[in-house]
Amino acid sequence: QVQLVESGGGLVQTGGSLRLSCAASGRTFSSYAMGWFRQAPGKEREFVATITWSGVSTYYADSVKGRFTTSRDNAKNTVYLHMSNLKPDDTAVYYCAARPGTWGMSPGVYVYWGQGTQVTVSS
């Protein structure tokens, strides 16, 4: 069992930056691939980024590539999403998710989810 708690969301102006954190419980955190997803009102949950259990490999949605970076600190059981050059279209509730084994881009392959944190980008 893994419990995930996101933090770091808030209100930011266009062009600004935020860093989201996702703290995980459980001794096997380092064996899980982690993903970031977001959901805007009236839209489906969409993939943002994923990182392998080791942190060596990452993959991003085209919409955030070059602006967002995900990393993890397995000693702290925490994964991060650094967001820069934020745009109003980035406004959404951001979720972190965990799955054993390899990374994935589909929400359906993730087993554990956090409660989400709101990110609002004003124009």
Side-chain angles (χ1 to χ4, degrees):
Q1 186 80 7
V2 175
Q3 292 185 325
L4 305 173
V5 179
E6 301 99 334
S7 61
L11 175 64
V12 64
Q13 292 185 332
T14 296
S17 300
L18 281 175
R19 187 184 78 165
L20 305 184
S21 298
C22 173
S25 65
R27 293 175 293 176
T28 59
F29 172 75
S30 61
S31 66
Y32 285 80
M34 301 296 294
W36 288 96
F37 295 82
R38 66 186 182 186
Q39 189 166 18
K43 294 187 177 181
E44 293 186 353
R45 191 167 298 190
E46 66 172 357
F47 168 75
V48 174
T50 183
I51 185 167
T52 54
W53 66 269
S54 65
V56 170
S57 297
T58 56
Y59 189 79
Y60 301 92
D62 288 343
S63 59
V64 306
K65 201 172 294 183
R67 300 188 298 122
F68 291 12
T69 302
T70 188
S71 61
R72 66 191 294 163
D73 185 339
N74 287 340
K76 296 183 178 180
N77 280 12
T78 302
V79 63
Y80 304 98
L81 184 67
H82 301 257
M83 307 184 294
S84 62
N85 192 19
L86 283 161
K87 306 174 182 180
D89 283 349
D90 295 318
T91 296
V93 177
Y94 283 72
Y95 299 88
C96 67
R99 69 179 304 245
T102 190
W103 59 5
M105 292 181 285
S106 170
V109 304
Y110 284 84
V111 178
Y112 303 105
W113 290 84
Q115 83 289 350
T117 185
Q118 176 71 46
V119 171
T120 303
V121 184
S122 63
S123 57

